[in-house]
Amino acid sequence: MTLRAAVIGVGHYLPERVVPNAEFEKTLDTNDEWIRARSGIERRHFAAEGETTSSMAAAAANKALEHAGLTAQDVDAIIVATSTADLTFPSAATMVQAELGMTTGFAFDVQAVCAGFVFALSNANALILSGQAKRVLVIGAETFSRIMDWTDRSTCVLFGDGAGALLLEAYDGKGTSQDRGILSTDLNSDGRHKDLLYVDGGVSTGTTGYLRMQGNQVFRHAVEKLAATATKAMERAGVESSDVDWVVPHQANIRIIQGTARKLGLPMENVVVTVQDHGNTSAASIPLALSVGHERGQIKDGDLIVTEAIGGGLAWGAVVLRW
């Protein structure tokens, strides 16, 4: 028998406020056509006043628990992937733990920007395989609307807020690629490229700061690195592109998603796409897309899924799992 970390629950949360591209035309030299052509984004959600990363994360977690038919007391650990935690510390994860009424186990954050959920999934997988936890809530949650420079049309139109969650449980597999759960992971980073995507604030500046991005350079790295990490993860899992039912990528830009799919030799019909409705929700985008894909009836039990992401750092990685 081979221990696996299998998905037993999924859920997501989006703020009520929907912001269409046309809203930016009031304050910026931009328009709906320009934004769609360069990103594929049509609308995004922004958190309301008083709505926080941790509160959205808890809402998504509750839906995942409900889907699994379990309560927070059945969970051993919570990992929240985020770059926009409510406070410098404590972690958003401990705030979610308290919100859920979970009084045992442990909780911590993972910060790998847009690749955060892939890194969090890998950590959750390791906790389960090592026997340190039987059930782990893995959440991606962001309020990127609070670190936007609203005068920078190249960045502020791209991002949105939201949260998604998966509940993983230890599962005895047979050690083959037909097993349910996480089959392989691949993580990477290269700090030499930190200036391509960053926030110009923090404890060294005494400010929250704003997101800054060299979009063309990020795009150049993204397609190549995403295809490479997905390929490596598939090789480790012993599967090929032809075996894959769904690619669920980080939802940053439709052109990156299309370019990566081409490099992997997969048609867009096999890609779950939500970027048009959510924008780039950073670490929340993959669990959001997984939850929406499941809700739509696209993702079904037994489906083989490849999920990949790249973010500031640069940090990037991929996970292969069977639903």
Side-chain angles (χ1 to χ4, degrees), residues 13 15 45-57 81-87 140-148 150 159-163 208 280-284:
Y13 174 84
H45 295 248
F46 283 168
E49 186 176 352
E51 200 165 37
T52 64
T53 293
S54 65
S55 67
M56 293 192 300
T82 188
S83 298
T84 53
D86 304 1
L87 303 172
E142 302 282 16
T143 47
F144 259 55
S145 63
R146 294 185 177 135
I147 54 169
M148 288 295 103
W150 298 111
F159 293 87
D161 304 333
T208 301
N280 183 346
T281 55
S282 190

PDB file of all heavy atoms in Angstrom, residues 13 15 45-57 81-87 140-148 150 159-163 208 280-284:
ATOM      1  N   TYR A  13     -15.085  30.924  -2.186  1.00  0.00           N
ATOM      2  CA  TYR A  13     -15.843  32.119  -1.798  1.00  0.00           C
ATOM      3  C   TYR A  13     -15.386  33.288  -2.656  1.00  0.00           C
ATOM      4  O   TYR A  13     -14.183  33.497  -2.868  1.00  0.00           O
ATOM      5  CB  TYR A  13     -15.621  32.469  -0.323  1.00  0.00           C
ATOM      6  CG  TYR A  13     -16.284  33.781   0.055  1.00  0.00           C
ATOM      7  CD1 TYR A  13     -17.633  33.823   0.397  1.00  0.00           C
ATOM      8  CD2 TYR A  13     -15.554  34.980   0.032  1.00  0.00           C
ATOM      9  CE1 TYR A  13     -18.249  35.029   0.705  1.00  0.00           C
ATOM     10  CE2 TYR A  13     -16.164  36.186   0.341  1.00  0.00           C
ATOM     11  CZ  TYR A  13     -17.512  36.203   0.667  1.00  0.00           C
ATOM     12  OH  TYR A  13     -18.121  37.401   0.964  1.00  0.00           O
ATOM     13  N   PRO A  15     -16.226  37.606  -3.127  1.00  0.00           N
ATOM     14  CA  PRO A  15     -16.949  38.774  -2.609  1.00  0.00           C
ATOM     15  C   PRO A  15     -18.135  39.126  -3.513  1.00  0.00           C
ATOM     16  O   PRO A  15     -18.125  38.829  -4.710  1.00  0.00           O
ATOM     17  CB  PRO A  15     -15.902  39.886  -2.639  1.00  0.00           C
ATOM     18  CG  PRO A  15     -14.585  39.188  -2.662  1.00  0.00           C
ATOM     19  CD  PRO A  15     -14.817  37.919  -3.406  1.00  0.00           C
ATOM     20  N   HIS A  45     -13.809  40.269  -8.720  1.00  0.00           N
ATOM     21  CA  HIS A  45     -14.518  40.570  -7.470  1.00  0.00           C
ATOM     22  C   HIS A  45     -13.578  41.317  -6.535  1.00  0.00           C
ATOM     23  O   HIS A  45     -12.405  40.969  -6.419  1.00  0.00           O
ATOM     24  CB  HIS A  45     -14.983  39.279  -6.786  1.00  0.00           C
ATOM     25  CG  HIS A  45     -16.009  38.518  -7.551  1.00  0.00           C
ATOM     26  ND1 HIS A  45     -17.311  38.382  -7.122  1.00  0.00           N
ATOM     27  CD2 HIS A  45     -15.935  37.842  -8.722  1.00  0.00           C
ATOM     28  CE1 HIS A  45     -17.990  37.649  -7.990  1.00  0.00           C
ATOM     29  NE2 HIS A  45     -17.165  37.312  -8.974  1.00  0.00           N
ATOM     30  N   PHE A  46     -14.110  42.333  -5.849  1.00  0.00           N
ATOM     31  CA  PHE A  46     -13.341  43.066  -4.855  1.00  0.00           C
ATOM     32  C   PHE A  46     -13.988  42.907  -3.482  1.00  0.00           C
ATOM     33  O   PHE A  46     -15.220  42.982  -3.348  1.00  0.00           O
ATOM     34  CB  PHE A  46     -13.273  44.560  -5.198  1.00  0.00           C
ATOM     35  CG  PHE A  46     -12.312  44.906  -6.300  1.00  0.00           C
ATOM     36  CD1 PHE A  46     -12.334  46.172  -6.868  1.00  0.00           C
ATOM     37  CD2 PHE A  46     -11.379  43.994  -6.767  1.00  0.00           C
ATOM     38  CE1 PHE A  46     -11.452  46.515  -7.887  1.00  0.00           C
ATOM     39  CE2 PHE A  46     -10.498  44.319  -7.782  1.00  0.00           C
ATOM     40  CZ  PHE A  46     -10.532  45.585  -8.350  1.00  0.00           C
ATOM     41  N   ALA A  47     -13.166  42.705  -2.473  1.00  0.00           N
ATOM     42  CA  ALA A  47     -13.647  42.540  -1.104  1.00  0.00           C
ATOM     43  C   ALA A  47     -14.298  43.827  -0.603  1.00  0.00           C
ATOM     44  O   ALA A  47     -13.867  44.939  -0.940  1.00  0.00           O
ATOM     45  CB  ALA A  47     -12.490  42.151  -0.186  1.00  0.00           C
ATOM     46  N   ALA A  48     -15.323  43.652   0.217  1.00  0.00           N
ATOM     47  CA  ALA A  48     -16.012  44.796   0.820  1.00  0.00           C
ATOM     48  C   ALA A  48     -15.220  45.297   2.021  1.00  0.00           C
ATOM     49  O   ALA A  48     -14.323  44.617   2.540  1.00  0.00           O
ATOM     50  CB  ALA A  48     -17.413  44.376   1.257  1.00  0.00           C
ATOM     51  N   GLU A  49     -15.548  46.488   2.461  1.00  0.00           N
ATOM     52  CA  GLU A  49     -14.920  47.032   3.672  1.00  0.00           C
ATOM     53  C   GLU A  49     -15.202  46.085   4.833  1.00  0.00           C
ATOM     54  O   GLU A  49     -16.333  45.659   5.049  1.00  0.00           O
ATOM     55  CB  GLU A  49     -15.472  48.424   3.980  1.00  0.00           C
ATOM     56  CG  GLU A  49     -14.781  49.117   5.140  1.00  0.00           C
ATOM     57  CD  GLU A  49     -15.284  50.532   5.355  1.00  0.00           C
ATOM     58  OE1 GLU A  49     -16.061  51.036   4.510  1.00  0.00           O
ATOM     59  OE2 GLU A  49     -14.913  51.124   6.385  1.00  0.00           O
ATOM     60  N   GLY A  50     -14.167  45.737   5.563  1.00  0.00           N
ATOM     61  CA  GLY A  50     -14.321  44.814   6.678  1.00  0.00           C
ATOM     62  C   GLY A  50     -14.175  43.351   6.289  1.00  0.00           C
ATOM     63  O   GLY A  50     -14.067  42.483   7.164  1.00  0.00           O
ATOM     64  N   GLU A  51     -14.181  43.073   4.994  1.00  0.00           N
ATOM     65  CA  GLU A  51     -13.983  41.703   4.515  1.00  0.00           C
ATOM     66  C   GLU A  51     -12.481  41.478   4.361  1.00  0.00           C
ATOM     67  O   GLU A  51     -11.783  42.285   3.749  1.00  0.00           O
ATOM     68  CB  GLU A  51     -14.689  41.537   3.173  1.00  0.00           C
ATOM     69  CG  GLU A  51     -14.981  40.104   2.790  1.00  0.00           C
ATOM     70  CD  GLU A  51     -15.989  40.038   1.644  1.00  0.00           C
ATOM     71  OE1 GLU A  51     -15.927  40.898   0.739  1.00  0.00           O
ATOM     72  OE2 GLU A  51     -16.829  39.133   1.670  1.00  0.00           O
ATOM     73  N   THR A  52     -11.970  40.401   4.922  1.00  0.00           N
ATOM     74  CA  THR A  52     -10.527  40.189   4.972  1.00  0.00           C
ATOM     75  C   THR A  52     -10.130  38.873   4.303  1.00  0.00           C
ATOM     76  O   THR A  52     -10.973  38.027   3.999  1.00  0.00           O
ATOM     77  CB  THR A  52     -10.040  40.148   6.430  1.00  0.00           C
ATOM     78  OG1 THR A  52     -10.630  39.002   7.082  1.00  0.00           O
ATOM     79  CG2 THR A  52     -10.413  41.415   7.187  1.00  0.00           C
ATOM     80  N   THR A  53      -8.832  38.728   4.116  1.00  0.00           N
ATOM     81  CA  THR A  53      -8.308  37.477   3.577  1.00  0.00           C
ATOM     82  C   THR A  53      -8.718  36.295   4.448  1.00  0.00           C
ATOM     83  O   THR A  53      -9.163  35.263   3.954  1.00  0.00           O
ATOM     84  CB  THR A  53      -6.775  37.550   3.461  1.00  0.00           C
ATOM     85  OG1 THR A  53      -6.430  38.522   2.461  1.00  0.00           O
ATOM     86  CG2 THR A  53      -6.181  36.216   3.078  1.00  0.00           C
ATOM     87  N   SER A  54      -8.599  36.446   5.767  1.00  0.00           N
ATOM     88  CA  SER A  54      -8.922  35.325   6.658  1.00  0.00           C
ATOM     89  C   SER A  54     -10.414  35.021   6.684  1.00  0.00           C
ATOM     90  O   SER A  54     -10.812  33.855   6.771  1.00  0.00           O
ATOM     91  CB  SER A  54      -8.408  35.597   8.077  1.00  0.00           C
ATOM     92  OG  SER A  54      -9.064  36.701   8.660  1.00  0.00           O
ATOM     93  N   SER A  55     -11.256  36.051   6.590  1.00  0.00           N
ATOM     94  CA  SER A  55     -12.696  35.783   6.613  1.00  0.00           C
ATOM     95  C   SER A  55     -13.131  35.073   5.327  1.00  0.00           C
ATOM     96  O   SER A  55     -13.981  34.178   5.362  1.00  0.00           O
ATOM     97  CB  SER A  55     -13.493  37.082   6.798  1.00  0.00           C
ATOM     98  OG  SER A  55     -13.389  37.948   5.681  1.00  0.00           O
ATOM     99  N   MET A  56     -12.546  35.458   4.190  1.00  0.00           N
ATOM    100  CA  MET A  56     -12.860  34.765   2.941  1.00  0.00           C
ATOM    101  C   MET A  56     -12.317  33.339   2.956  1.00  0.00           C
ATOM    102  O   MET A  56     -12.971  32.407   2.474  1.00  0.00           O
ATOM    103  CB  MET A  56     -12.286  35.537   1.751  1.00  0.00           C
ATOM    104  CG  MET A  56     -12.947  36.885   1.521  1.00  0.00           C
ATOM    105  SD  MET A  56     -12.498  37.639  -0.078  1.00  0.00           S
ATOM    106  CE  MET A  56     -10.723  37.775   0.101  1.00  0.00           C
ATOM    107  N   ALA A  57     -11.121  33.170   3.511  1.00  0.00           N
ATOM    108  CA  ALA A  57     -10.531  31.830   3.620  1.00  0.00           C
ATOM    109  C   ALA A  57     -11.399  30.913   4.469  1.00  0.00           C
ATOM    110  O   ALA A  57     -11.615  29.746   4.130  1.00  0.00           O
ATOM    111  CB  ALA A  57      -9.126  31.933   4.220  1.00  0.00           C
ATOM    112  N   ALA A  81      -2.330  29.667   1.853  1.00  0.00           N
ATOM    113  CA  ALA A  81      -1.417  30.298   0.912  1.00  0.00           C
ATOM    114  C   ALA A  81      -1.919  31.711   0.645  1.00  0.00           C
ATOM    115  O   ALA A  81      -3.037  31.892   0.172  1.00  0.00           O
ATOM    116  CB  ALA A  81      -1.361  29.503  -0.388  1.00  0.00           C
ATOM    117  N   THR A  82      -1.109  32.702   0.973  1.00  0.00           N
ATOM    118  CA  THR A  82      -1.517  34.094   0.769  1.00  0.00           C
ATOM    119  C   THR A  82      -0.312  35.025   0.790  1.00  0.00           C
ATOM    120  O   THR A  82       0.698  34.742   1.445  1.00  0.00           O
ATOM    121  CB  THR A  82      -2.531  34.544   1.838  1.00  0.00           C
ATOM    122  OG1 THR A  82      -3.039  35.834   1.499  1.00  0.00           O
ATOM    123  CG2 THR A  82      -1.921  34.573   3.230  1.00  0.00           C
ATOM    124  N   SER A  83      -0.438  36.127   0.070  1.00  0.00           N
ATOM    125  CA  SER A  83       0.532  37.217   0.152  1.00  0.00           C
ATOM    126  C   SER A  83      -0.104  38.454   0.765  1.00  0.00           C
ATOM    127  O   SER A  83       0.537  39.495   0.873  1.00  0.00           O
ATOM    128  CB  SER A  83       1.055  37.570  -1.245  1.00  0.00           C
ATOM    129  OG  SER A  83       1.723  36.477  -1.809  1.00  0.00           O
ATOM    130  N   THR A  84      -1.382  38.328   1.142  1.00  0.00           N
ATOM    131  CA  THR A  84      -2.126  39.480   1.664  1.00  0.00           C
ATOM    132  C   THR A  84      -2.825  39.119   2.972  1.00  0.00           C
ATOM    133  O   THR A  84      -4.027  39.308   3.129  1.00  0.00           O
ATOM    134  CB  THR A  84      -3.157  39.975   0.624  1.00  0.00           C
ATOM    135  OG1 THR A  84      -3.971  38.865   0.202  1.00  0.00           O
ATOM    136  CG2 THR A  84      -2.478  40.585  -0.580  1.00  0.00           C
ATOM    137  N   ALA A  85      -2.055  38.555   3.894  1.00  0.00           N
ATOM    138  CA  ALA A  85      -2.603  38.234   5.216  1.00  0.00           C
ATOM    139  C   ALA A  85      -3.111  39.502   5.894  1.00  0.00           C
ATOM    140  O   ALA A  85      -2.641  40.610   5.622  1.00  0.00           O
ATOM    141  CB  ALA A  85      -1.533  37.563   6.077  1.00  0.00           C
ATOM    142  N   ASP A  86      -4.087  39.340   6.791  1.00  0.00           N
ATOM    143  CA  ASP A  86      -4.704  40.491   7.453  1.00  0.00           C
ATOM    144  C   ASP A  86      -3.667  41.352   8.176  1.00  0.00           C
ATOM    145  O   ASP A  86      -3.719  42.583   8.125  1.00  0.00           O
ATOM    146  CB  ASP A  86      -5.737  40.021   8.486  1.00  0.00           C
ATOM    147  CG  ASP A  86      -6.801  39.115   7.901  1.00  0.00           C
ATOM    148  OD1 ASP A  86      -6.749  38.810   6.694  1.00  0.00           O
ATOM    149  OD2 ASP A  86      -7.703  38.701   8.657  1.00  0.00           O
ATOM    150  N   LEU A  87      -2.728  40.699   8.860  1.00  0.00           N
ATOM    151  CA  LEU A  87      -1.707  41.370   9.656  1.00  0.00           C
ATOM    152  C   LEU A  87      -0.343  40.790   9.326  1.00  0.00           C
ATOM    153  O   LEU A  87      -0.246  39.697   8.761  1.00  0.00           O
ATOM    154  CB  LEU A  87      -1.984  41.184  11.154  1.00  0.00           C
ATOM    155  CG  LEU A  87      -3.347  41.667  11.678  1.00  0.00           C
ATOM    156  CD1 LEU A  87      -3.532  41.221  13.125  1.00  0.00           C
ATOM    157  CD2 LEU A  87      -3.462  43.180  11.554  1.00  0.00           C
ATOM    158  N   GLY A 140      -6.263  28.832  -0.457  1.00  0.00           N
ATOM    159  CA  GLY A 140      -5.641  29.985  -1.094  1.00  0.00           C
ATOM    160  C   GLY A 140      -6.595  31.155  -0.959  1.00  0.00           C
ATOM    161  O   GLY A 140      -7.775  31.031  -1.297  1.00  0.00           O
ATOM    162  N   ALA A 141      -6.121  32.284  -0.458  1.00  0.00           N
ATOM    163  CA  ALA A 141      -7.004  33.440  -0.239  1.00  0.00           C
ATOM    164  C   ALA A 141      -6.212  34.728  -0.408  1.00  0.00           C
ATOM    165  O   ALA A 141      -5.075  34.825   0.056  1.00  0.00           O
ATOM    166  CB  ALA A 141      -7.633  33.391   1.148  1.00  0.00           C
ATOM    167  N   GLU A 142      -6.828  35.701  -1.085  1.00  0.00           N
ATOM    168  CA  GLU A 142      -6.129  36.968  -1.348  1.00  0.00           C
ATOM    169  C   GLU A 142      -7.100  38.143  -1.388  1.00  0.00           C
ATOM    170  O   GLU A 142      -8.249  38.011  -1.829  1.00  0.00           O
ATOM    171  CB  GLU A 142      -5.415  36.924  -2.709  1.00  0.00           C
ATOM    172  CG  GLU A 142      -4.402  35.819  -2.886  1.00  0.00           C
ATOM    173  CD  GLU A 142      -3.054  36.076  -2.215  1.00  0.00           C
ATOM    174  OE1 GLU A 142      -2.956  36.978  -1.353  1.00  0.00           O
ATOM    175  OE2 GLU A 142      -2.097  35.369  -2.571  1.00  0.00           O
ATOM    176  N   THR A 143      -6.605  39.304  -0.940  1.00  0.00           N
ATOM    177  CA  THR A 143      -7.278  40.592  -1.157  1.00  0.00           C
ATOM    178  C   THR A 143      -6.280  41.523  -1.855  1.00  0.00           C
ATOM    179  O   THR A 143      -5.804  42.505  -1.274  1.00  0.00           O
ATOM    180  CB  THR A 143      -7.762  41.216   0.169  1.00  0.00           C
ATOM    181  OG1 THR A 143      -6.701  41.143   1.140  1.00  0.00           O
ATOM    182  CG2 THR A 143      -8.983  40.502   0.698  1.00  0.00           C
ATOM    183  N   PHE A 144      -5.969  41.181  -3.088  1.00  0.00           N
ATOM    184  CA  PHE A 144      -4.990  41.961  -3.850  1.00  0.00           C
ATOM    185  C   PHE A 144      -5.487  43.360  -4.172  1.00  0.00           C
ATOM    186  O   PHE A 144      -4.691  44.249  -4.489  1.00  0.00           O
ATOM    187  CB  PHE A 144      -4.614  41.219  -5.138  1.00  0.00           C
ATOM    188  CG  PHE A 144      -3.299  40.490  -5.045  1.00  0.00           C
ATOM    189  CD1 PHE A 144      -3.060  39.572  -4.028  1.00  0.00           C
ATOM    190  CD2 PHE A 144      -2.284  40.723  -5.963  1.00  0.00           C
ATOM    191  CE1 PHE A 144      -1.862  38.910  -3.930  1.00  0.00           C
ATOM    192  CE2 PHE A 144      -1.076  40.067  -5.870  1.00  0.00           C
ATOM    193  CZ  PHE A 144      -0.853  39.154  -4.853  1.00  0.00           C
ATOM    194  N   SER A 145      -6.795  43.585  -4.082  1.00  0.00           N
ATOM    195  CA  SER A 145      -7.317  44.925  -4.344  1.00  0.00           C
ATOM    196  C   SER A 145      -6.755  45.953  -3.363  1.00  0.00           C
ATOM    197  O   SER A 145      -6.802  47.156  -3.630  1.00  0.00           O
ATOM    198  CB  SER A 145      -8.849  44.926  -4.271  1.00  0.00           C
ATOM    199  OG  SER A 145      -9.295  44.590  -2.965  1.00  0.00           O
ATOM    200  N   ARG A 146      -6.188  45.488  -2.252  1.00  0.00           N
ATOM    201  CA  ARG A 146      -5.668  46.403  -1.242  1.00  0.00           C
ATOM    202  C   ARG A 146      -4.190  46.718  -1.416  1.00  0.00           C
ATOM    203  O   ARG A 146      -3.617  47.471  -0.620  1.00  0.00           O
ATOM    204  CB  ARG A 146      -5.963  45.852   0.149  1.00  0.00           C
ATOM    205  CG  ARG A 146      -7.474  45.842   0.387  1.00  0.00           C
ATOM    206  CD  ARG A 146      -7.899  45.428   1.765  1.00  0.00           C
ATOM    207  NE  ARG A 146      -9.354  45.548   1.847  1.00  0.00           N
ATOM    208  CZ  ARG A 146     -10.151  44.642   2.381  1.00  0.00           C
ATOM    209  NH1 ARG A 146      -9.653  43.539   2.912  1.00  0.00           N
ATOM    210  NH2 ARG A 146     -11.461  44.827   2.401  1.00  0.00           N
ATOM    211  N   ILE A 147      -3.559  46.132  -2.448  1.00  0.00           N
ATOM    212  CA  ILE A 147      -2.154  46.480  -2.713  1.00  0.00           C
ATOM    213  C   ILE A 147      -1.985  46.949  -4.158  1.00  0.00           C
ATOM    214  O   ILE A 147      -0.899  46.864  -4.727  1.00  0.00           O
ATOM    215  CB  ILE A 147      -1.203  45.300  -2.413  1.00  0.00           C
ATOM    216  CG1 ILE A 147      -1.622  44.031  -3.168  1.00  0.00           C
ATOM    217  CG2 ILE A 147      -1.115  45.045  -0.916  1.00  0.00           C
ATOM    218  CD1 ILE A 147      -0.571  42.927  -3.103  1.00  0.00           C
ATOM    219  N   MET A 148      -3.062  47.476  -4.727  1.00  0.00           N
ATOM    220  CA  MET A 148      -3.011  47.980  -6.097  1.00  0.00           C
ATOM    221  C   MET A 148      -2.702  49.475  -6.137  1.00  0.00           C
ATOM    222  O   MET A 148      -3.183  50.239  -5.311  1.00  0.00           O
ATOM    223  CB  MET A 148      -4.368  47.761  -6.783  1.00  0.00           C
ATOM    224  CG  MET A 148      -4.698  46.318  -7.126  1.00  0.00           C
ATOM    225  SD  MET A 148      -3.581  45.618  -8.351  1.00  0.00           S
ATOM    226  CE  MET A 148      -2.524  44.611  -7.305  1.00  0.00           C
ATOM    227  N   TRP A 150      -3.785  52.320  -8.132  1.00  0.00           N
ATOM    228  CA  TRP A 150      -4.925  52.548  -9.012  1.00  0.00           C
ATOM    229  C   TRP A 150      -4.627  53.528 -10.136  1.00  0.00           C
ATOM    230  O   TRP A 150      -5.498  53.812 -10.961  1.00  0.00           O
ATOM    231  CB  TRP A 150      -6.133  53.001  -8.193  1.00  0.00           C
ATOM    232  CG  TRP A 150      -6.554  51.959  -7.205  1.00  0.00           C
ATOM    233  CD1 TRP A 150      -6.448  52.028  -5.849  1.00  0.00           C
ATOM    234  CD2 TRP A 150      -7.104  50.664  -7.499  1.00  0.00           C
ATOM    235  NE1 TRP A 150      -6.894  50.860  -5.277  1.00  0.00           N
ATOM    236  CE2 TRP A 150      -7.312  50.006  -6.259  1.00  0.00           C
ATOM    237  CE3 TRP A 150      -7.435  50.009  -8.683  1.00  0.00           C
ATOM    238  CZ2 TRP A 150      -7.831  48.712  -6.183  1.00  0.00           C
ATOM    239  CZ3 TRP A 150      -7.959  48.718  -8.613  1.00  0.00           C
ATOM    240  CH2 TRP A 150      -8.156  48.085  -7.371  1.00  0.00           C
ATOM    241  N   PHE A 159      -6.078  42.175 -11.304  1.00  0.00           N
ATOM    242  CA  PHE A 159      -6.198  41.373 -10.086  1.00  0.00           C
ATOM    243  C   PHE A 159      -7.583  41.453  -9.448  1.00  0.00           C
ATOM    244  O   PHE A 159      -8.317  42.429  -9.622  1.00  0.00           O
ATOM    245  CB  PHE A 159      -5.125  41.800  -9.080  1.00  0.00           C
ATOM    246  CG  PHE A 159      -3.727  41.474  -9.540  1.00  0.00           C
ATOM    247  CD1 PHE A 159      -3.017  42.362 -10.331  1.00  0.00           C
ATOM    248  CD2 PHE A 159      -3.140  40.266  -9.201  1.00  0.00           C
ATOM    249  CE1 PHE A 159      -1.738  42.064 -10.780  1.00  0.00           C
ATOM    250  CE2 PHE A 159      -1.857  39.953  -9.636  1.00  0.00           C
ATOM    251  CZ  PHE A 159      -1.160  40.844 -10.429  1.00  0.00           C
ATOM    252  N   GLY A 160      -7.904  40.398  -8.689  1.00  0.00           N
ATOM    253  CA  GLY A 160      -9.164  40.333  -7.970  1.00  0.00           C
ATOM    254  C   GLY A 160      -8.986  39.634  -6.644  1.00  0.00           C
ATOM    255  O   GLY A 160      -7.887  39.174  -6.303  1.00  0.00           O
ATOM    256  N   ASP A 161     -10.080  39.549  -5.893  1.00  0.00           N
ATOM    257  CA  ASP A 161     -10.065  38.946  -4.560  1.00  0.00           C
ATOM    258  C   ASP A 161     -10.906  37.667  -4.535  1.00  0.00           C
ATOM    259  O   ASP A 161     -11.849  37.523  -5.315  1.00  0.00           O
ATOM    260  CB  ASP A 161     -10.633  39.927  -3.535  1.00  0.00           C
ATOM    261  CG  ASP A 161      -9.900  41.264  -3.521  1.00  0.00           C
ATOM    262  OD1 ASP A 161      -8.703  41.286  -3.887  1.00  0.00           O
ATOM    263  OD2 ASP A 161     -10.518  42.271  -3.138  1.00  0.00           O
ATOM    264  N   GLY A 162     -10.593  36.783  -3.594  1.00  0.00           N
ATOM    265  CA  GLY A 162     -11.387  35.571  -3.444  1.00  0.00           C
ATOM    266  C   GLY A 162     -10.625  34.519  -2.665  1.00  0.00           C
ATOM    267  O   GLY A 162      -9.493  34.749  -2.211  1.00  0.00           O
ATOM    268  N   ALA A 163     -11.249  33.357  -2.517  1.00  0.00           N
ATOM    269  CA  ALA A 163     -10.632  32.261  -1.767  1.00  0.00           C
ATOM    270  C   ALA A 163     -11.157  30.922  -2.256  1.00  0.00           C
ATOM    271  O   ALA A 163     -12.301  30.818  -2.708  1.00  0.00           O
ATOM    272  CB  ALA A 163     -10.912  32.410  -0.269  1.00  0.00           C
ATOM    273  N   THR A 208       2.683  49.641   3.463  1.00  0.00           N
ATOM    274  CA  THR A 208       2.126  48.434   2.863  1.00  0.00           C
ATOM    275  C   THR A 208       2.658  48.243   1.458  1.00  0.00           C
ATOM    276  O   THR A 208       2.968  47.129   1.038  1.00  0.00           O
ATOM    277  CB  THR A 208       0.585  48.517   2.814  1.00  0.00           C
ATOM    278  OG1 THR A 208       0.096  48.682   4.142  1.00  0.00           O
ATOM    279  CG2 THR A 208      -0.017  47.271   2.200  1.00  0.00           C
ATOM    280  N   ASN A 280      -6.870  37.800 -11.879  1.00  0.00           N
ATOM    281  CA  ASN A 280      -5.780  37.091 -11.218  1.00  0.00           C
ATOM    282  C   ASN A 280      -5.974  37.208  -9.707  1.00  0.00           C
ATOM    283  O   ASN A 280      -5.794  38.285  -9.140  1.00  0.00           O
ATOM    284  CB  ASN A 280      -4.438  37.696 -11.639  1.00  0.00           C
ATOM    285  CG  ASN A 280      -3.243  36.976 -11.050  1.00  0.00           C
ATOM    286  OD1 ASN A 280      -3.368  36.185 -10.125  1.00  0.00           O
ATOM    287  ND2 ASN A 280      -2.069  37.270 -11.581  1.00  0.00           N
ATOM    288  N   THR A 281      -6.346  36.113  -9.071  1.00  0.00           N
ATOM    289  CA  THR A 281      -6.524  36.111  -7.609  1.00  0.00           C
ATOM    290  C   THR A 281      -5.329  35.482  -6.903  1.00  0.00           C
ATOM    291  O   THR A 281      -5.442  35.001  -5.777  1.00  0.00           O
ATOM    292  CB  THR A 281      -7.814  35.377  -7.212  1.00  0.00           C
ATOM    293  OG1 THR A 281      -7.803  34.064  -7.762  1.00  0.00           O
ATOM    294  CG2 THR A 281      -9.047  36.125  -7.686  1.00  0.00           C
ATOM    295  N   SER A 282      -4.184  35.476  -7.572  1.00  0.00           N
ATOM    296  CA  SER A 282      -2.924  35.015  -6.995  1.00  0.00           C
ATOM    297  C   SER A 282      -3.069  33.617  -6.401  1.00  0.00           C
ATOM    298  O   SER A 282      -3.508  32.703  -7.093  1.00  0.00           O
ATOM    299  CB  SER A 282      -2.423  36.027  -5.960  1.00  0.00           C
ATOM    300  OG  SER A 282      -1.102  35.726  -5.555  1.00  0.00           O
ATOM    301  N   ALA A 283      -2.729  33.425  -5.135  1.00  0.00           N
ATOM    302  CA  ALA A 283      -2.749  32.085  -4.545  1.00  0.00           C
ATOM    303  C   ALA A 283      -4.145  31.479  -4.476  1.00  0.00           C
ATOM    304  O   ALA A 283      -4.291  30.269  -4.294  1.00  0.00           O
ATOM    305  CB  ALA A 283      -2.144  32.117  -3.143  1.00  0.00           C
ATOM    306  N   ALA A 284      -5.171  32.296  -4.636  1.00  0.00           N
ATOM    307  CA  ALA A 284      -6.548  31.778  -4.596  1.00  0.00           C
ATOM    308  C   ALA A 284      -7.004  31.217  -5.933  1.00  0.00           C
ATOM    309  O   ALA A 284      -8.014  30.513  -6.004  1.00  0.00           O
ATOM    310  CB  ALA A 284      -7.512  32.880  -4.152  1.00  0.00           C
TER     311      ALA A 284
END
